[in-house]
């Protein structure tokens, strides 16, 4: 037991989230896992408790009858599958992962949305008589990773060719296509995206690596020039392939969006997940916000929003709407005004329903003063506050401490500027 514990610790490496011990996945371990004995091992581990509390006992028990490396590889895979369910749902239980590959993979909902855009463009082309037949149904997936986008494109009916420079990642992507019964639609090769022949492809997608190498701690890269391949490759790709899409970081500056391309910010469940760039027939707006799971989409139509006082209702736009700079478009849809020309809060006098913003009823509006806010909250018996802020320098945690509340009620306080003046709003989610 003592030896097992030491060995596991020595082999174990962080890399798949806080508090979760998973081994590094390497080529030999992955090959072994795909061989018949590994398949049986994985099936056996899948039925065991690999939670943090039981991990050592499970590993020790399995090692009595199986080689330590195979046990480690299978346990690692099962633990990665547990984590992957957040991105891939129950498909995760059949799929394969590396810690980095899972971290960087596109979640299934976003990948399906993207694949649907490729499918709609291909259908439109086929309807127009161009590239009809099998050829319109091919997509080149450069930097395919473990295949998050690859499998979504295959499920949308495309024949997909994936390219990734990492041989293990390629093996995992192939395994995922097989595991999800998509092998007939998918080929994957090890290679450099920048050296891949682009001629003749009707459609391409590229999801560049946005992390430093392991030797630099695998940190996120924010400078598009430091993507791998670098950002400029995306425009080369777009110039060569009629329907090109690419995934970029949601923080991409608007002025980096190439002329003629569409930038789309996608949120899922209210959380911004990514930005995508679209070229050619796939670019149908300059900027777009898409909200999943509903698929609501907003584009720039030149709306101008007035600023004005806070009315009975306050709206907090979805992050994709804010990142895409489409707050005024969201305002125009519900006849809302901005509470401050520089702040992304909207207001109306009567309630309006919109998928693009969360609506709150405004209970109180007061110029910001700690004393007045404390008095108001105490008078209402509030003991716990949710603090939302935009355009306010106040630290919510410090504010909560300074309020020294002790009531039993709960309230939501919005700290912002209204027509330039620091203001606190007491609101209630509708
Ligand atoms: C963000 S991940 C792709 C994730 C993928 N779309 C998915 O959903 O699983 C980026 C991938 O690009 C690969 N990569 C980085 N530079 C590359 C290059 N020059 N050529 C090919 N692949 C590259 C990395 O190995 C990594 O697997």
């Amino acid at each position: 037991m003592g030896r097992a514990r030491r060995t596991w610790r020595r082999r174990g490496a962080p890399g798949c989230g806080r508090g979760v011990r998973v081994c590094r996945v390497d080529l030999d371990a992955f090959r072994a896992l795909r061989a018949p004995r590994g398949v049986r091992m994985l099936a056996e581990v899948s039925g065991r408790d690999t939670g943090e509390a039981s991990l050592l006992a499970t590993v020790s028990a399995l090692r009595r009858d199986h080689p330590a490396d195979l046990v480690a590889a299978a346990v690692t895979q099962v633990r990665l599958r547990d984590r992957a369910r957040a991105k891939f749902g129950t498909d995760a239980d059949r799929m394969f992962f590396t810690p980095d590959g899972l971290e960087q993979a596109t979640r299934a909902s976003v990948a399906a949305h993207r694949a649907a855009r490729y499918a709609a463009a291909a259908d439109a082309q086929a309807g127009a008589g161009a590239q009809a037949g099998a050829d319109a149904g091919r997509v080149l997936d450069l930097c395919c990773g473990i295949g998050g986008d690859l499998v979504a494109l295959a499920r949308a009916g495309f024949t997909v060719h994936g390219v990734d420079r990492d041989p293990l990642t390629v093996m995992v992507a192939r395994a995922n296509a097989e595991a999800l019964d998509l092998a007939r639609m998918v080929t994957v090769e090890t290679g450099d995206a920048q050296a891949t022949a682009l001629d003749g492809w009707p459609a391409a997608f590229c999801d560049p690596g946005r992390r430093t190498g392991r030797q630099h701690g695998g940190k996120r890269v924010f400078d598009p020039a430091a993507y791998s391949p670098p950002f400029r490759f995306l425009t080369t790709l777009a110039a060569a392939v009629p329907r090109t899409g690419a995934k970029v970081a949601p923080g991409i500056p608007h002025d980096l969006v190439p002329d003629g391309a569409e930038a789309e910010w996608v949120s899922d469940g209210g959380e911004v997940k990514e930005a995508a760039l679209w070229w050619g027939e796939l670019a149908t707006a300059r900027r777009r916000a898409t909200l999943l799971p509903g698929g609501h989409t907003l584009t720039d139509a030149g709306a101008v929003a007035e600023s004005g006082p806070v009315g009975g209702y306050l709206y907090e736009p979805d992050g994709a709407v804010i990142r895409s700079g489409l707050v005024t478009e969201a305002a125009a849809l519900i006849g809302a005004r901005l509470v401050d020309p520089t702040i992304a809060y909207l207001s109306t006098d009567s309630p309006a329903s919109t998928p693009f913003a969360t609506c709150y009823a405004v209970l109180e509006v007061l110029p910001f003063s700690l004393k007045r806010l404390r008095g108001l909250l105490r008078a209402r018996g509030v003991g716990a506050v949710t603090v939302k802020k935009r355009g306010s320098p106040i630290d919510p945690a410090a504010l909560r401490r300074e309020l020294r509340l002790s009531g039993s009620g709960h309230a939501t306080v919005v700290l912002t500027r209204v027509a330039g003046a620091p203001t606190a709003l007491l609101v209630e989610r509708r």
Side-chain angles (χ1 to χ4, degrees):
M1 172 71 185
R3 187 170 168 274
R5 180 191 295 257
R6 276 199 307 280
T7 313
W8 177 255
R9 285 228 168 108
R10 201 169 58 236
R11 288 176 190 282
C16 197
R18 280 177 287 274
V20 178
R21 251 172 288 144
V22 289
C23 294
R24 210 158 48 77
V25 180
D26 63 29
L27 268 174
D28 287 342
F30 192 69
R31 272 196 201 103
L33 207 55
R34 301 282 290 150
R37 188 173 187 183
V39 171
R40 287 196 299 276
M41 179 84 257
L42 194 52
E44 180 166 355
V45 176
S46 300
R48 302 272 188 131
D49 183 354
T50 52
E52 199 70 45
S54 319
L55 185 62
L56 283 174
T58 302
V59 168
S60 304
L62 289 166
R63 278 183 176 182
R64 276 182 219 124
D65 303 318
H66 304 283
D69 285 353
L70 197 58
V71 172
V75 169
T76 292
Q77 215 36 250
V78 168
R79 301 202 87 197
L80 286 169
R81 285 176 172 179
D82 286 345
R83 281 178 57 84
R85 251 176 247 127
K87 278 191 175 180
F88 293 100
T90 52
D91 278 348
D93 297 334
R94 289 188 282 162
M95 292 173 72
F96 296 89
F97 303 97
T98 61
D100 288 349
L102 171 57
E103 182 97 358
Q104 297 185 70
T106 306
R107 62 182 46 240
S109 54
V110 178
H113 162 69
R114 188 184 343 275
R117 284 196 67 167
Y118 277 95
D123 286 351
Q125 278 302 104
Q131 280 179 335
D135 193 50
R138 293 191 305 133
V139 181
L140 175 64
D141 181 358
L142 295 173
C143 304
C144 66
I146 55 106
D149 287 287
L150 196 77
V151 298
L153 286 162
R155 277 186 169 154
F158 290 103
T159 302
V160 196
H161 182 65
V163 177
D164 199 286
R165 68 176 177 187
D166 178 52
L168 171 61
T169 303
V170 165
M171 207 180 275
V172 175
R174 267 191 212 121
N176 283 332
E178 278 170 32
L180 299 176
D181 299 324
L182 296 164
R184 69 191 184 288
M185 313 286 287
V186 171
T187 49
V188 192
E189 69 170 321
T190 305
D192 185 340
Q194 289 177 278
T196 304
L198 305 176
D199 298 345
W201 284 99
F205 171 65
C206 183
D207 182 0
R210 287 184 277 122
R211 286 182 187 270
T212 57
R214 205 180 284 280
Q215 70 275 26
H216 300 299
K219 296 196 193 81
R220 260 176 229 260
V221 160
F222 293 101
D223 175 9
Y227 289 3
S228 176
F231 188 77
R232 65 174 183 282
F233 170 71
L234 302 179
T235 45
T236 307
L237 179 62
V241 179
R243 293 194 289 281
T244 290
K247 182 161 110 184
V248 293
I252 184 170
H254 286 201
D255 59 7
L256 269 192
V257 177
D259 288 345
E262 173 187 319
E264 178 185 32
W265 282 261
V266 181
S267 66
D268 193 1
E271 223 177 278
V272 179
K273 296 298 179 193
E274 66 165 50
L277 297 179
W278 300 101
W279 283 267
E281 298 132 16
L282 289 160
T284 50
R286 180 68 180 148
R287 281 175 285 131
R288 178 187 298 275
T290 298
L291 279 56
L292 302 176
H296 303 283
T297 195
L298 189 64
T299 55
D300 49 329
V304 181
E306 302 286 315
S307 302
V310 178
Y313 299 89
L314 186 82
Y315 302 83
E316 183 180 31
D318 182 275
V321 174
I322 296 175
R323 294 268 192 162
S324 57
L326 296 173
V327 172
T328 52
E329 301 294 344
L333 286 180
I334 52 171
R337 52 193 179 259
L338 293 163
V339 302
D340 184 283
T342 61
I343 303 237
Y345 278 130
L346 306 172
S347 189
T348 59
D349 297 325
S350 344
S353 171
T354 173
F356 298 110
T358 305
C359 178
Y360 297 86
V362 178
L363 309 178
E364 302 275 357
V365 182
L366 60 155
F368 181 76
S369 134
L370 180 64
K371 205 169 150 195
R372 284 187 66 179
L373 183 59
R374 186 189 290 136
L376 177 73
L377 294 171
R378 285 186 178 171
R380 286 175 164 262
V382 171
V385 278
T386 299
V387 180
K388 296 186 154 285
K389 65 167 207 159
R390 193 155 285 157
S392 165
I394 290 165
D395 171 24
L399 176 71
R400 266 190 227 102
R401 278 195 304 277
E402 286 171 29
L403 283 170
R404 298 193 307 276
L405 300 171
S406 58
S408 58
H410 173 267
T412 302
V413 172
V414 175
L415 304 175
T416 189
R417 287 196 307 272
V418 173
T423 304
L425 310 173
L426 194 60
V427 301
E428 190 173 79
R429 189 166 174 164
R430 275 173 57 82

